Amino acid sequence: MNDEDTPGAEEEGGDEDFGQEAEPQQSGGDIGLSGFLESIRRTSAWLNSIDRQFEPVRRQLRMVESTRRSILDAMGPANAAYRAALDTQRQYQAIAAPVLALQSELSAIHDWHSRINDVVRSVSLPRALLDQLAAAAGLFLPANLIGVDSEELHTILDLSEEDGLSLAWAPRTRIVKALLLLSTRNERYALLAEHRDDVLDDIDASLQIVTHPDLTGVVTLLRTATRTARASFAEGAQALAGNVLDTTLKRQGKAWIRRSFPQTTYPKAGHHGTITSALDEADGWGDLTLLQFKHYLVLAGMRNAFAPGDAQDTFNRHLGAHEASPDTYRPEFVLPAILLAHALLRALNQDLAHPDDQEAGA
């Protein structure tokens, strides 16, 4: 049994209809930033494909030029064969020139995309930029948080860590804003419980977006957890959501964290060590780039879920798995556990390459 399976040991080694939001790369007019960056990758792959298709044109031009030079060297410029070869070359160049010019224009567009991509990835996110982030929320925030102001964003980050939950993509904006008005964790947990069916409706709608083949199984299990919660079997729903979170973090989550925060050093490989390293290295989110903000928002609530220790006042997967008791299984932990697993699945669905993307880049 490894440290992750040892209880108490630190690990090593929107609107009401926001849930129907499409993935940025799948949307139409209102494309998200991740979709814009994905378009850069697809443009690059397309240009490479176009370049391969243009190669026969360039090869034919080189062959015609070589033939012309051979005739010129052997027979001189006045003979009929040379003049015929020269006419062929001119005609072929007249056909090929606009095609090759189009390739040049497409390359210029790709270069423009790349320059924007470089700028976006380098922009840091000190607290002073939160107003700009809120103003451009459609690019950098989950759909249910569009419309919140900069101070509310700061509060959401604090509450995520304090309460051990994620408010990314669910619940709906109205519930999120109501949570921000409350002063204690117990009040916020009580509000979530009061709106249980609305919260679960939002999660179920949001999970429809998660279509990556590698996530299909855990999505099915999390849907079972939401049905179990609706039936008021709280302990079963908490246990199932916790195991979905743990399994997904093992399979894809830790690699996603390292990709999302490449500037971080990770001295410990366990769940808690990886999560803590990423959150602490971001220095209370002050050193984030624009692209990392959404990832930090998803990750913030997970520290408590995998924290070591014998007792905790928020959902803790380890205690639930290895120290089962009425204290570690509480009704107020059910929705936070499901929200955490849901947010990780949404983030991974955006991050993982989809089969159709791979075909486009082949």
Side-chain angles (χ1 to χ4, degrees), residues 169-287:
W169 293 288
R172 63 195 67 181
T173 309
R174 173 174 55 80
I175 296 177
V176 172
K177 285 183 171 287
L179 289 171
L180 301 181
L181 299 176
L182 303 176
S183 57
T184 69
R185 178 190 301 151
N186 288 338
E187 290 175 324
R188 292 187 288 272
Y189 279 176
L191 180 67
L192 287 174
E194 179 183 348
H195 295 280
R196 183 195 69 180
D197 288 343
D198 286 339
V199 174
L200 294 174
D201 285 346
D202 295 341
I203 291 171
D204 283 334
S206 178
L207 286 174
Q208 294 179 18
I209 303 298
V210 184
T211 58
H212 193 280
D214 291 349
L215 304 176
T216 301
V218 285
V219 167
T220 299
L221 290 176
L222 193 59
R223 288 187 181 279
T224 301
T226 65
R227 292 197 302 272
T228 304
R230 291 181 194 275
S232 298
F233 294 112
E235 295 85 355
Q238 178 184 326
L240 189 51
N243 285 329
V244 167
L245 178 65
D246 179 66
T247 298
T248 307
L249 204 54
K250 285 180 180 178
R251 290 177 178 172
Q252 297 99 358
K254 285 193 288 187
W256 165 75
I257 294 171
R258 292 171 184 268
R259 288 194 301 272
S260 299
F261 302 94
Q263 75 277 22
T264 300
T265 55
Y266 295 93
K268 297 181 180 180
H271 290 353
H272 186 252
T274 302
I275 293 168
T276 298
S277 295
L279 293 177
D280 290 348
E281 192 82 9
D283 189 24
W285 62 267
D287 290 336

Side-chain angles (χ1 to χ4, degrees), residues 39-98:
S39 75
I40 296 173
R41 187 191 67 77
R42 292 193 179 196
T43 300
S44 179
W46 182 53
L47 284 172
N48 289 336
S49 175
I50 292 294
D51 187 66
R52 289 194 298 271
Q53 295 178 45
F54 284 169
E55 178 54 32
V57 176
R58 291 190 291 267
R59 187 167 57 247
Q60 187 68 18
L61 283 173
R62 291 193 297 268
M63 184 177 68
V64 170
E65 171 64 13
S66 176
T67 301
R68 183 189 68 80
R69 290 182 179 276
S70 297
I71 295 174
L72 177 63
D73 292 341
M75 305 177 65
N79 66 83
Y82 171 75
R83 290 195 298 272
L86 185 60
D87 289 341
T88 299
Q89 182 185 27
R90 288 170 177 167
Q91 293 173 12
Y92 207 88
Q93 284 176 331
I95 296 171

